[in-house]
Every structure is written in structure tokens, then in C-alpha cells.
Amino acid sequence: MPELDTVRAARQPAISSLLSLAASGHGTVLSLKFPYQTQPLPRPGTSAMDAALNRVDKVLDAVLGTVDILVIGNEPFLETRDQDRATLLNPFYEAVAAHVITERERRRGGGRRTRLYMGALNHLEHPDWRTPAVDAWLAHVKATPEIEGVDIHPHVAAIEHASAYTEYVLPRIRAEQRFLATEFSLVQWWKQHWSDPVPAIYADQYGVARGTPVWQEVRDAAATPVTEQRWRDLLTHTTWFASRTRYLTNQVTRFRATGRLAVATYGTLQQPAMVRDLGPAKTPWLLNSLYTNLVVQPSADGRMAHNPAYFDAFRALQDGS
């Protein structure tokens, strides 16, 4: 959101991309990210709150009635200072939600086709993240008729941990409300094994020293992209990765089985931040992405290589299979 102080909303990269995709007939979801990790959230009724709502209005001018779903918040409990989560967080986001609801009604017309969700909740597999502030967040969602549900981001170490999200959230909102999963992955599982050695069969085949940690091999690939076959061999011979190749299918199946999934989306491209300062402490987000555009050489015709575990599953899920 702070980018909108210097960039027109319609030209802000995320908004511009979604508007273009919407014009092409794609479904679109836009989340409003309020980064307050280093400063207090504004209090309703203050000039700082007015400034935040002015940014919101700029977004609404650009997307209302075009974007299918607007998520009020991105990861509020991560993007807020620890000391503000129990005090300032809910009043701020409730004020933003009330403002968006009022503006959507005032503008009427096609703006009503943009559905509203609150988002997104993290780490609910850990009991200490199921706080009174989270309960208050869900109580607000439940009590506000114009809000259609809540977003969740289950980045977990095991598929069973994601069930903690739906089991906690769904009983606390209205029966007709639904949930989004605009981010989800097994990144915590990857992180547990990030320093494991590359498979011996891979090391011998490609002349890599046995015992080389996976993160180091990935770092080298990010510096000098490898062939698609070499990347595929690395992952398919790595037991902790290869044993999870049905994760995407299984996770979406579980989401759908609740009967209350609205939309699930999954990460597409590897981003530069994923390979910046890559080392043993780096969270391996790049292992999630459907395309391996930063670690694998493109084909002769420019085609980007695919994640060998999830790309085909992702395509199949588009058909409901």
C-alpha cells in the first residue's frame, strides 16, 4: 500500500497485472498489504489512519468492479509489530473493512461484483498463534454480513498441519462463509531438509562432492542455471522431495472436501528474492514454484522449465480432477 504514495494505482505492478488479466477473462484476487513491522499501526480517527484510507481509495478507484475478490489485508499478524497484535491490529483492519464496505456501497453499480474477504491467517498449526486477537479477527468476519470469508496461508511441514487451519477457522465464521487459500505450501518441510546432502547417485552422476548440502547445489544453480534434466534429477532423487510429489493434488482435494473453499491459488514463478543471499538459513520458497525460471536454463525456444513434482498436477486441477 505505501507504494501508492508515489505510483498511480493502475500502474502499480500487482494491480496493473491483475487488471490486464481481468481484461483477458481471468479470475482475479487482490490482497491489500499493509507493512507495519517497524512502526505502529494507525489508530482509527487519526491523520495516519486517514492517510492509510486515502491509499485504499486509490486502490478502489482502480479495481472495484473489475477484480473478482479483494482481500482486506495480506498477512496482518506477520506484518504488524508483536506488541501491536493484541491492541492495534483489529481496530485498524476493522476500520479499513468498514471503509471498503461503505465505499463499495456508495459507488454501487458494478463495484458490488467485487467480493470481500479478510486475510490472511498464518501459523495456526501452532497453538500459541491461536490467540484472543485471532479469535477477535474471526468474530469480526462472522459479524460482518458484507464479508464473505477469510484467507489462510498454510505454509506447513506436513499436509496434516494445514487441516488445523480449516478446523480452527470454519467453526468460527458463518456457515455460508467460505475461505481462500491464496498461499499454501510444504516450505517448512523443505526447510527441515535444506541442509541434507544431495543424493549420492546425483553427486556421482554430475561430479558433485558427496555430502554437498542441497542448499549449496541450489545456490550454484541460481548462479549458473543448470539443464532441466539435471534439476529434475536433483529433485527426483532427493527422497524428501520426491516423496511429496502428490502434495498439491492432495492438499487441494482436502480443501475442496470441506465444501467451503472459494479459491486456492499457487505460486507460479521463482522470484529474485528467493535466491538472494541463498544459504542454509534461507527459507527455500523457490522449491514451491511451478516454473524453475531462475535455476534452470530455458529451452532453445525460450520455454521455461517446470517443477517436476507439481506442474502437471496444477494443470489437472484446473479441470477439477
Side-chain angles (χ1 to χ4, degrees), residues 260-274:
R260 296 173 68 181
L261 173 67
V263 175
T265 62
Y266 195 76
T268 305
L269 294 173
Q270 294 174 336
Q271 301 294 334
M274 295 178 181

Side-chain angles (χ1 to χ4, degrees), residues 42-44 49 84-97:
R43 296 179 183 272
M49 190 77 211
D84 296 338
R85 290 174 185 160
T87 55
L88 301 180
L89 187 151
N90 279 292
F92 172 81
Y93 281 95
E94 288 174 15
V96 172

Side-chain angles (χ1 to χ4, degrees), residues 5-6 25 40 60 68 99 141 238 255 266 280:
D5 292 342
T6 56
L60 298 181
D68 294 289
H99 183 82
V141 171
T238 299
F255 285 152
Y266 195 76

Side-chain angles (χ1 to χ4, degrees), residues 110-162:
R112 293 297 298 273
R113 71 175 293 276
T114 297
R115 298 179 174 185
L116 305 179
Y117 283 73
M118 299 293 287
L121 298 177
N122 303 85
H123 299 314
L124 293 181
E125 73 272 31
H126 302 299
D128 57 342
W129 277 79
R130 302 173 208 158
T131 64
V134 171
D135 287 342
W137 176 277
L138 292 170
H140 171 255
V141 171
K142 181 176 183 178
T144 309
E146 297 86 354
I147 295 175
E148 299 197 20
V150 67
D151 193 5
I152 59 173
H153 286 179
H155 294 293
V156 295
I159 192 170
E160 295 79 15
H161 295 171

Side-chain angles (χ1 to χ4, degrees), residues 172-228:
R172 288 170 170 79
I173 59 178
R174 301 191 309 272
E176 74 274 14
Q177 287 178 308
R178 307 175 80 186
F179 71 96
L180 311 173
T182 55
E183 293 183 26
F184 62 98
S185 76
L186 281 179
V187 73
Q188 298 305 325
W189 174 253
W190 312 145
K191 191 171 185 179
Q192 288 179 15
H193 295 278
W194 194 219
S195 292
D196 287 4
V198 299
I201 187 174
Y202 172 87
D204 294 345
Q205 180 176 354
Y206 290 99
V208 176
R210 289 196 179 196
T212 299
V214 170
W215 68 260
Q216 184 175 322
E217 186 67 5
V218 174
R219 183 185 65 184
D220 291 347
T224 305
V226 298
T227 65
E228 183 172 5

